[in-house]
Amino acid sequence: MAPGIFRVMNAPPLPPDPARPASGFVSLVGAGPGDPELITVRARALLARADAVVYDALVNPRIMQNGAVRADAEMHDVGKRGGVPSARQDAINALLVRLAREGKRVVRLKGGDPLVFGRGSEEAQALAQAGVSFEIVPGVTAGVAAPAYAGIPVTHRGVASAVTFITGHEDPTKVDSDVDWASLARAGGTLVLYMGVKRLREIVAALTAGGLSADTPAAVVEWGTWPRQRTVESTLGGIAHAASAAGIAAPSITIVGSVARLRGEIAWFDRRPLSGRRIIVTRARTQASDLATRLTELGADVIEAPAIVIVPADPAPLRDALRHLGEYQWVLFTSQNAVEIAWAALRGAGGDARRFAGVRVGAVGQATARALLDRGIAADVIPPRATAEGLGDALRQRPDVRGTRILFIQADGAGDALPAALRDMDTTMHEIVAYRTVPDASGTNAARDALTANSVDAITFTSASTVRFFLDALGGNAGAVGGARIITMGPRTSDAARMLGLTVHAEAATATIDALVDAVRDVLR
Ligand code: SAH
């Protein structure tokens, strides 16, 4: 047996056989209706390992950001906008076949469910014909999700025990000969119309001609499950006018049936504390965007404008200092970034939290303290005022600081407030620059557009440098923020904002995300 195994293991790889399709594989995946959290666990897993992603216009780009897709994955935007001829579909089919034949793991990402008015089954047919292996991963379809986010169930006991999903051409000149509107009018239950918005008037006429009462409740949900979701309610007779008066456009779902009335009782999405509010969150790209998540969950339409990026400094001095941690009595951190970078340097040198045994630790701000605690290090000093001066003051009060050796890990350009505060304490301070913050204008385009459209309710700033860099990206013009309220993380950030000509409307009571969120809620209440 052994020689056989030996031979197999040493066999040269088989040459590619052109007659046999390569080992590529296509997953036809539903991306859900828009809310990036309405994607399946399976879709996330497939995206994370895809070699190529082929996606549509209605797929929320956020689904593919923040490391959800490998940085080296091929991205193909095949978004079809407007009534594009079906030749495009052939090109998409051909692209899928080609990528699979190149041996790639392909994710074909489609809005909602891939097989609900999504032509996913046509792509499956093309793959089957080409002999390419594939699978189908269902998604949350807009016809169920958009009503749900509008507080409209598509079925309800005693009200509707059937639901019909219907599509109409967007092209108003085409007659939908394949939809029997008269029989739909008689069918009872709920009607859910995809792609009907431009033809609403015509569809309403066909339904009422078929005998459906013009008083039947109806609603249109535009951009369902997206932060910009809007809902218009009326009757079947009034819905076309109501939708056009409100300027409703695609994508939208129209619901016809008594279930639409339940919205009055169970609407929730548009009743959250920050629903309909647009907020720019300026925060460093590498920082967890928990602020954005919190505001989104409260209903806000958040535009993330990473005004700065964090660039770690040369790690050698930091590594060296951490190797000799035992020579210090204190280690001070001014930010979560400083903790993260120091920790990476420590781990890179094979160390861990035990190195901090016998060393006292000071942290500016709760987030910094939490970052330390997450790594098994409880800070000894967290000043009530989350600034370097605040830490200096707190240290001055302590009996165990005078004459000590202090390692101070901070950002470039952080100022010398802390060393100044301890100048007469006979301490030896070893300052290490762990990182620099540099402007990132690329992230500010969406924010600038929204400000120009005067559609921003508030802007949050978490540090003095984010204020500076954000205003730089706006061409240094404080007037560009228009009527947006300015809300900051603390006194230093507020000072920086005022110095640059901004009016500060609120400040977080403590330097925490919770307090900042509370301040936003207060201001926009
Ligand atoms: N496969 C998709 C539907 C594709 S057809 C799904 O299962 O949801 C495209 C149509 O779907 C749009 O014209 C619109 O009518 C509807 N649609 C898609 N996303 C929507 C959304 N977020 N809100 C409202 N309608 C949406």
Side-chain angles (χ1 to χ4, degrees):
M1 289 302 109
I5 291 168
F6 187 74
R7 253 200 317 278
V8 170
M9 287 174 71
N10 282 279
L14 286 170
D17 176 0
R20 225 174 125 262
S23 55
F25 189 82
V26 178
S27 304
L28 297 166
V29 179
D35 181 336
E37 306 234 318
L38 292 182
I39 187 164
T40 63
V41 173
R42 174 124 187 90
R44 294 269 305 175
L46 288 166
L47 272 178
R49 58 175 189 257
D51 300 309
V53 181
V54 180
Y55 60 96
D56 280 340
L58 279 180
V59 172
N60 190 336
R62 282 200 174 194
I63 284 171
M64 297 172 281
Q65 290 165 358
N66 296 328
V69 178
R70 276 177 17 221
D72 62 342
E74 261 180 60
M75 303 302 286
H76 296 270
D77 177 0
V78 295
K80 289 179 286 186
R81 290 176 187 86
V84 172
S86 56
R88 285 282 286 153
Q89 186 62 53
D90 293 342
I92 294 171
N93 296 350
L95 174 65
L96 295 177
V97 170
R98 172 172 72 74
L99 292 169
R101 290 213 169 123
E102 288 167 6
K104 294 184 173 129
R105 284 168 300 193
V106 183
V107 168
R108 169 65 174 122
L109 195 57
K110 301 174 77 74
D113 180 276
L115 304 190
V116 178
F117 308 132
R119 306 189 72 169
S121 40
E122 290 169 49
E123 293 172 12
Q125 284 176 312
L127 294 169
Q129 271 163 28
V132 170
S133 306
F134 64 91
E135 66 179 341
I136 299 172
V137 181
V140 177
T141 188
V144 173
Y149 270 44
I152 301 172
V154 293
T155 71
H156 187 78
R157 194 164 51 88
V159 176
S161 50
V163 51
T164 310
F165 297 106
I166 311 149
T167 179
H169 287 290
E170 283 290 7
D171 183 349
T173 62
K174 280 202 188 126
V175 185
D176 283 321
S177 49
D178 43 351
V179 178
D180 181 352
W181 296 103
S183 75
L184 285 174
R186 286 191 304 272
T190 306
L191 304 180
V192 175
L193 299 159
Y194 290 67
M195 294 189 271
V197 65
K198 281 192 201 153
R199 298 192 53 234
L200 214 44
R201 211 166 288 278
E202 208 180 316
I203 291 169
V204 166
L207 287 171
T208 42
L212 193 57
S213 165
D215 295 333
T216 310
V220 180
V221 186
E222 180 193 56
W223 287 107
T225 81
W226 293 67
R228 71 188 90 155
Q229 170 177 313
R230 290 195 299 158
T231 304
V232 170
E233 298 164 74
S234 184
T235 57
L236 180 60
I239 193 70
H241 179 257
S244 74
I248 297 280
S252 51
I253 288 282
T254 302
I255 304 110
V256 179
S258 301
V259 288
R261 207 178 281 135
L262 284 154
R263 175 172 156 75
E265 243 180 293
I266 63 170
W268 59 275
F269 185 83
D270 22 19
R271 294 186 185 164
R272 292 172 303 164
L274 296 175
S275 287
R277 304 301 205 154
R278 182 170 278 175
I279 301 171
I280 293 175
V281 169
T282 60
R283 213 165 153 74
R285 208 189 272 286
T286 45
Q287 284 170 336
S289 54
D290 41 358
L291 174 61
T293 306
R294 293 280 308 280
L295 296 173
T296 304
E297 278 169 357
L298 291 170
D301 182 1
V302 172
I303 300 175
E304 283 184 81
I308 56 178
V309 280
I310 306 269
V311 181
D314 172 13
L318 182 58
R319 237 181 249 161
D320 198 48
L322 291 170
R323 207 172 290 129
H324 302 104
L325 254 187
E327 295 170 17
Y328 300 95
Q329 284 78 51
W330 283 94
V331 182
L332 310 179
F333 295 93
T334 52
S335 71
Q336 199 178 330
N337 295 313
V339 173
E340 280 162 11
I341 289 165
W343 184 256
L346 185 66
R347 295 294 299 131
D352 61 31
R354 287 171 292 185
R355 288 273 180 85
F356 283 82
V359 182
R360 286 183 290 274
V361 175
V364 174
Q366 293 296 336
T368 310
R370 187 151 341 111
L372 284 165
L373 198 55
D374 285 348
R375 292 161 174 86
I377 302 157
D380 300 278
V381 178
I382 308 162
R385 237 174 7 114
T387 60
E389 295 96 313
L391 181 58
D393 289 347
L395 289 172
R396 290 184 67 84
Q397 317 285 317
R398 293 184 58 113
D400 53 358
V401 172
R402 184 169 289 280
T404 55
R405 280 175 60 85
I406 300 176
L407 179 62
F408 180 35
I409 303 176
Q410 57 166 340
D412 193 16
D416 68 343
L418 181 76
L422 298 179
R423 197 149 286 146
D424 58 350
M425 296 284 287
D426 194 23
T427 55
T428 311
M429 176 121 15
H430 185 185
E431 290 177 58
I432 295 224
V433 171
Y435 64 95
R436 283 179 305 128
T437 52
V438 300
D440 174 23
S442 72
T444 49
N445 291 340
R448 190 186 308 112
D449 292 349
L451 286 170
T452 307
N454 208 12
S455 66
V456 178
D457 295 290
I459 308 175
T460 62
F461 292 108
T462 51
S463 70
S465 54
T466 55
V467 183
R468 270 196 304 277
F469 290 137
F470 185 71
L471 278 185
D472 277 355
L474 295 179
N477 173 14
V481 306
R485 312 297 183 83
I486 306 297
I487 302 158
T488 77
M489 183 67 122
R492 272 198 56 190
T493 312
S494 296
D495 287 349
R498 287 192 197 100
M499 230 147 72
L500 292 164
L502 295 173
T503 303
V504 176
H505 296 83
E507 192 175 276
T510 60
T512 61
I513 297 294
D514 282 346
L516 188 56
V517 169
D518 287 345
V520 171
R521 288 183 64 160
D522 274 356
V523 167
L524 296 185
R525 193 165 35 198

